[in-house]
Amino acid sequence: MSRIKYYIFVFLASFCTLIVAQQPLEEDKDVLSLRLENHIVEAKLESDRGDYYNAKDNLDKALAIAEKIDDKTSQGIIHTKIAKVQFLVNKQDQANISIATAIKIQRENDDYQNLAVTYNIKGVMLSTREDYESALDYFKSSKSLYEQEDLEEYISEVTLNEAKALIQLQRYEDAKAQLEQTIIISKKYNQRRLLSSALIENSKVSSALGNNNIALSQAKEGLSIAEFYNLPEIINGAYLILSDVYKEKGDFKNSYLYVKNHMHLSDSLLNIKRENLVTGISNQSINEYKDAENAQLKNQMDELSKESNFTRITTILSIALITILSLLTLSLYKNNNIRLKTNNMLHKKNDELIVAKEKAELASKTKANFLSTVTHELRTPLYAVTGLTNMLLDEDPKEHQIAHLKSLKFSGDYLLTFINDILQINKIEANKVELDPEVFNLKHKIENVVSALGNSAKDNSTKLHFDYEDGLPENFNGDQLKISQILINLLGNAIKFTKDGDIWVRAYKIDQKDKLYRLRFEIEDNGIGITKEKQDHMFESFSQGSVQINRKYGGTGLGLSIVKGLIQILGGKIYLKSELGKGTTFFFEIPLEYAKAQIQPKVVEVKKSNKMEDLDLNNVKILVVEDNKINQMITKKILNKMGLYCDVVDNGEDAVEQVKAVNYDIVLMDIHMPGISGLEATKIIRTFNKEMPIFALTAVTLEDKMQEFGEAGFNDIISKPFKQEDFEKKLFTVLSGEKVVSSFF
């Protein structure tokens, strides 16, 4: 009868559960968010008083709500807090999994502020396991993210943790630098706990370096702050370091006094933790399980005396089944532990790879900034070299000087080409090259390239041959400028290494799907060829066939590297075949989309020798803003040669005042100057004069700076060193009354 009642009870309970489960459980998102915050607050209070298991329970509830409302930010924060609690109760494997989950969510969500917090906690966990080197990597990543997000006030805790790890590694000077930064920031933001702790840690460093008097002063200052704000853990640490310092000084009385205070306070803190510490949920579950198991055994013993032999056999079989299941459970438990350790190892390696990736990205960014600075510093004196050379060539030099000046001009042009190649390689490696597709005539484009390089081929007594496949469409949609650059590099390379020979340029189709064609281009020569050993490295930066070839033919070794980068951006590939003494063939394949529109060949207008002659330049006023005296003189002479006269100032402040006083037609503004920069000066000018054309006359050319010029109010940029005809064209546009349209947007 009792069993019938039991089955009825189970049936009713299941039915009620089913009914409840079918009720709508939708709650207002704001209510759920409020509950989430309440659980987090309760978890914080419980964790502070040592009730870690209830804190974990509240965090689990908060996580369930965050997942329900798809709050990724809260999910990352909660996983970090769970990891911290798990670590405090010595569940390190679980803590590692939780912290890895938090890092993954925060990275995917670009939540850099909370990712910095997580990195800091991960570093503390590694420090506790005495893996100080790995901990330092995470502290540095955390600090870098705080700096990136402009959150200086949070950096102090990271630098303090970093200093503690450095002290353990006995890198006292490095630790001292981090502690000084902690003290500065904590004073700035009134962070008393961090300030007192940093002073005490600094006392340890000073003591280790043999400066006991300074150590004593620092420890007492830290103790004073901790006592005023009632920070018992920090007070306890101060007692211990003061005892050690007094012992080093030979003052054993004070040393004993402070170590006695330390032991007394340690006992008090331990008693408080014992009073507040709640018995673990896992122990509670085990006790409940044991009580239930004992009760079950007792019931079984009662029933054994009443039931039949059949019931006894059933019970024995049940016990055997339970034993088998227990063995299986034990086996699964061991397998799970092995899998858990493997996962932890994978998480650790993954974290190490991510840190290495971040370091590589930082190194790449540093390299880009370095190249930007170096190229600017090279362009500035190069402007003087090319400018002065052109001026001397135009001033009727003596006959024996002309050859020297032309050699100087060639060297300057070569150096400028080299700088531009380095910039382009940098842009390609940094993925900053963008496609600019347009409809163009491919056949005419190749013919123009072949025609443009015809004179160079004649100089080497070399014939150029062009073969365009019959039936292949001529009009395509693609980035014709990059295709031209690829062809110019490859054909120019072939001409350089072919003397008294032939070069063939071919274009033909290898595949077609609807309007998308896959075309192959060949540039074949019968020149000197390339050795098999060198062929595998020809597309690497600064690669040359050999030292002898480099000396004889020259070149930077960057052309083929640029070609390969551009072809990959276009979605193609390049390869070569060559035999020493018989010639080389370069093949590249790219996809191009067929375009029906007919493209008329562009008519190249013959430029006038000097457009300025058509204008009245008597009342034209130009302001040159340049701090370099040589560049001032060159720019002024170039303008004078064009029939233009100018005023010159050497800083941004004077430029602003001069524009206020005089109505100029054009301002040529340098960027890097003492005082306020050209960017700042232009921004100020635009507050009271929005129409006057302002050109940036500068050596800065990287695309990532272009937006800054546009936002500052520049109309265009004239890169130093510039070509005379380009300079005249831009000035003519302004002086002829045409509207200047910004080139930056």
Side-chain angles (χ1 to χ4, degrees):
M1 186 66 184
S2 59
R3 288 192 175 187
I4 294 173
K5 290 181 179 179
Y6 171 75
Y7 289 133
I8 292 172
F9 173 76
V10 170
F11 172 76
L12 290 173
S14 301
F15 180 74
C16 292
T17 302
L18 182 63
I19 295 297
V20 172
Q22 291 177 343
Q23 298 300 315
L25 294 176
E26 295 183 2
E27 294 185 61
D28 184 78
K29 190 172 182 179
D30 292 337
V31 174
L32 289 172
S33 297
L34 183 61
R35 286 175 53 198
L36 186 151
E37 291 297 328
N38 287 339
H39 283 306
I40 292 176
V41 171
E42 288 177 15
K44 174 72 168 58
L45 294 173
E46 289 161 348
S47 180
D48 288 344
R49 64 173 180 259
D51 190 355
Y52 299 124
Y53 293 97
N54 279 329
K56 172 67 166 54
D57 183 56
N58 269 302
L59 289 172
D60 287 339
K61 292 175 180 176
L63 181 60
I65 295 172
E67 289 172 346
K68 183 176 182 180
I69 63 177
D70 196 27
D71 185 348
K72 297 292 185 184
T73 300
S74 294
Q75 288 176 35
I77 293 170
I78 294 166
H79 277 294
T80 300
K81 292 180 180 295
I82 289 173
K84 190 174 179 181
V85 169
Q86 290 169 331
F87 184 74
L88 289 171
V89 297
N90 203 28
K91 294 183 178 180
Q92 295 187 4
D93 291 341
Q94 295 179 18
N96 287 333
I97 294 172
S98 296
I99 205 93
T101 304
I103 290 172
K104 181 177 182 294
I105 292 171
Q106 288 161 351
R107 284 195 185 116
E108 291 174 350
N109 203 34
D110 293 337
D111 187 3
Y112 299 120
Q113 179 176 346
N114 288 312
L115 181 58
V117 176
T118 306
Y119 277 161
N120 184 37
I121 292 173
K122 176 72 172 179
V124 172
M125 292 166 61
L126 289 167
S127 290
T128 307
R129 297 205 301 265
E130 299 183 359
D131 188 357
Y132 301 115
E133 294 293 349
S134 298
L136 287 173
D137 287 336
Y138 277 96
F139 291 142
K140 288 175 183 176
S141 296
S142 175
K143 186 164 59 176
S144 176
L145 289 175
Y146 277 136
E147 289 171 350
Q148 172 187 311
E149 298 298 304
D150 196 21
L151 297 169
E152 183 188 44
E153 62 185 295
Y154 299 104
I155 294 175
S156 53
E157 185 170 355
V158 183
T159 51
L160 178 60
N161 291 333
E162 193 172 358
K164 291 178 180 178
L166 290 167
I167 290 171
Q168 294 300 321
L169 293 171
Q170 297 183 358
R171 291 165 54 183
Y172 298 117
E173 291 294 342
D174 293 337
K176 186 177 179 181
Q178 298 303 321
L179 289 168
E180 287 174 355
Q181 186 178 359
T182 305
I183 291 169
I184 291 169
I185 297 173
S186 59
K187 284 182 177 179
K188 181 177 179 181
Y189 293 99
N190 200 27
Q191 298 166 333
R192 300 300 181 185
R193 180 183 64 81
L194 295 173
L195 176 59
S196 59
S197 185
L199 287 167
I200 292 166
E201 293 297 325
N202 216 359
S203 174
K204 293 181 184 178
V205 172
S206 298
S207 177
L209 295 173
N211 302 321
N212 288 322
N213 290 331
I214 296 174
L216 195 62
S217 173
Q218 291 169 334
K220 285 184 176 180
E221 185 181 356
L223 176 60
S224 175
I225 295 170
E227 287 178 339
F228 184 82
Y229 289 96
N230 192 23
L231 304 170
E233 296 283 355
I234 298 174
I235 292 171
N236 205 26
Y239 285 159
L240 187 59
I241 187 62
L242 281 167
S243 173
D244 291 340
V245 174
Y246 274 120
K247 182 180 178 182
E248 289 292 325
K249 289 173 66 67
D251 188 346
F252 298 106
K253 181 179 179 181
N254 276 319
S255 176
Y256 173 74
L257 176 64
Y258 278 107
V259 79
K260 184 178 178 182
N261 290 341
H262 170 72
M263 293 174 65
H264 178 72
L265 184 54
S266 294
D267 289 340
S268 299
L269 291 172
L270 186 60
N271 289 333
I272 292 170
K273 286 183 178 179
R274 284 172 176 168
E275 291 173 2
N276 290 333
L277 188 63
V278 178
T279 303
I281 291 175
S282 56
N283 291 334
Q284 179 182 343
S285 299
I286 292 170
N287 291 334
E288 290 176 356
Y289 175 78
K290 287 182 177 178
D291 291 342
E293 187 178 37
N294 291 335
Q296 183 180 9
L297 289 172
K298 185 176 182 303
N299 291 333
Q300 286 177 350
M301 291 176 66
D302 292 339
E303 289 182 2
L304 281 173
S305 61
K306 298 177 182 179
E307 293 183 349
S308 62
N309 291 332
F310 177 77
T311 306
R312 290 192 183 94
I313 293 172
T314 303
T315 304
I316 292 169
L317 290 174
S318 298
I319 293 171
L321 180 61
I322 291 171
T323 303
I324 293 169
L325 290 174
S326 299
L327 291 172
L328 287 173
T329 302
L330 180 61
S331 176
L332 289 172
Y333 173 75
K334 288 183 176 180
N335 289 335
N336 185 61
N337 277 346
I338 293 170
R339 187 169 62 252
L340 189 61
K341 288 179 181 178
T342 305
N343 287 339
N344 288 338
M345 187 182 300
L346 289 173
H347 283 304
K348 183 178 179 181
K349 293 297 181 184
N350 184 55
D351 289 344
E352 290 173 357
L353 288 173
I354 290 168
V355 171
K357 174 177 173 289
E358 291 173 349
K359 286 182 178 179
E361 289 173 349
L362 179 61
S364 178
K365 185 177 180 181
T366 303
K367 184 189 80 170
N369 291 334
F370 170 76
L371 284 174
S372 176
T373 303
V374 168
T375 51
H376 175 269
E377 294 304 318
L378 286 172
R379 281 175 172 273
T380 299
L382 191 57
Y383 175 56
V385 172
T386 56
L388 288 171
T389 304
N390 288 326
M391 285 166 50
L392 290 172
L393 283 169
D394 291 339
E395 292 177 358
D396 296 325
K398 295 179 181 179
E399 188 172 349
H400 71 277
Q401 294 174 331
I402 293 175
H404 299 315
L405 291 172
K406 285 185 176 179
S407 296
L408 184 60
K409 184 178 186 301
F410 172 81
S411 297
D413 292 340
Y414 178 85
L415 181 57
L416 181 60
T417 301
F418 182 58
I419 292 170
N420 289 335
D421 284 348
I422 291 176
L423 285 173
Q424 185 154 24
I425 286 289
N426 185 57
K427 284 165 53 182
I428 290 172
E429 290 179 351
N431 295 320
K432 291 184 178 179
V433 179
E434 296 181 357
L435 292 176
D436 184 19
E438 58 183 317
V439 178
F440 71 102
N441 188 299
L442 178 62
K443 185 177 181 181
H444 291 158
K445 176 61 63 178
I446 302 174
E447 287 173 342
N448 289 341
V449 171
V450 172
S451 175
L453 295 176
N455 289 332
S456 298
K458 286 180 182 178
D459 292 340
N460 275 2
S461 302
T462 298
K463 294 181 181 180
L464 300 180
H465 310 276
F466 174 43
D467 180 18
Y468 194 85
E469 184 182 19
D470 292 337
L472 180 65
E474 297 183 7
N475 299 321
F476 291 94
N477 186 19
D479 194 327
Q480 60 170 323
L481 292 178
K482 291 181 179 57
I483 294 172
S484 294
Q485 189 173 359
I486 293 166
L487 291 169
I488 289 169
N489 269 288
L490 292 176
L491 187 54
N493 198 64
I495 291 171
K496 183 166 67 172
F497 296 108
T498 306
K499 189 172 180 64
D500 299 323
D502 294 274
I503 297 174
W504 294 266
V505 180
R506 305 183 185 94
Y508 53 91
K509 179 186 73 175
I510 57 173
D511 190 22
Q512 177 187 355
K513 187 175 182 181
D514 297 329
K515 291 185 178 182
L516 189 65
Y517 284 69
R518 189 162 191 86
L519 305 182
R520 177 179 292 164
F521 300 83
E522 294 180 8
I523 291 84
E524 179 185 357
D525 66 66
N526 52 12
I528 63 173
I530 307 167
T531 63
K532 291 184 178 180
E533 293 79 12
K534 296 293 182 181
Q535 289 180 26
D536 294 336
H537 307 286
M538 288 307 298
F539 296 106
E540 297 175 2
S541 297
F542 302 104
S543 176
Q544 294 281 1
S546 68
V547 175
Q548 293 80 9
I549 288 173
N550 186 25
R551 292 289 181 267
K552 182 176 180 180
Y553 295 96
T556 64
L558 293 173
L560 292 179
S561 180
I562 292 171
V563 164
K564 183 178 181 181
L566 292 175
I567 289 173
Q568 288 176 340
I569 290 168
L570 293 172
K573 60 182 180 179
I574 184 170
Y575 46 96
L576 68 92
K577 68 177 182 178
S578 181
E579 188 174 348
L580 195 62
K582 294 187 177 181
T584 303
T585 304
F586 283 92
F587 307 85
F588 71 92
E589 300 171 6
I590 56 172
L592 282 175
E593 184 181 8
Y594 168 67
K596 290 184 178 179
Q598 295 296 318
I599 307 299
Q600 297 298 328
K602 293 184 179 179
V603 179
V604 180
E605 296 181 358
V606 179
K607 295 183 179 179
K608 298 179 182 178
S609 59
N610 190 352
K611 292 183 178 181
M612 293 297 176
E613 294 177 354
D614 301 333
L615 301 175
D616 180 10
L617 306 177
N618 292 327
N619 298 319
V620 172
K621 296 177 182 178
I622 297 177
L623 177 64
V624 176
V625 188
E626 170 69 70
D627 66 311
N628 187 290
K629 298 298 181 184
I630 297 175
N631 290 347
Q632 287 179 5
M633 180 266 292
I634 293 171
T635 305
K636 188 173 182 179
K637 284 204 171 188
I638 291 173
L639 291 171
N640 291 345
K641 182 184 172 186
M642 295 163 58
L644 295 166
Y645 297 90
C646 61
D647 295 330
V648 179
V649 294
D650 59 7
N651 61 77
E653 292 91 341
D654 289 347
V656 174
E657 295 303 320
Q658 196 73 10
V659 170
K660 287 181 179 178
V662 181
N663 186 21
Y664 288 102
D665 296 280
I666 306 172
V667 174
L668 302 176
M669 181 80 72
D670 190 24
I671 299 302
H672 297 295
M673 295 182 293
I676 65 173
S677 67
L679 287 169
E680 293 300 321
T682 302
K683 289 178 182 178
I684 296 171
I685 291 171
R686 287 307 185 205
T687 61
F688 60 85
N689 189 331
K690 299 186 182 299
E691 301 299 327
M692 179 180 61
I694 304 177
F695 289 167
L697 187 61
T698 177
V700 177
T701 58
L702 287 182
E703 274 68 8
D704 55 353
K705 300 289 184 184
M706 297 298 104
Q707 186 177 354
E708 293 183 28
F709 292 147
E711 291 173 351
F714 286 101
N715 296 92
D716 206 342
I717 180 172
I718 300 174
S719 297
K720 295 187 293 190
F722 52 77
K723 292 183 180 179
Q724 182 82 14
E725 56 268 25
D726 293 339
F727 186 49
E728 288 186 16
K729 182 179 178 181
K730 292 190 176 184
L731 293 181
F732 180 82
T733 300
V734 175
L735 298 176
S736 62
E738 295 182 27
K739 183 175 177 60
V740 180
V741 181
S742 175
S743 303
F744 305 112
F745 299 101

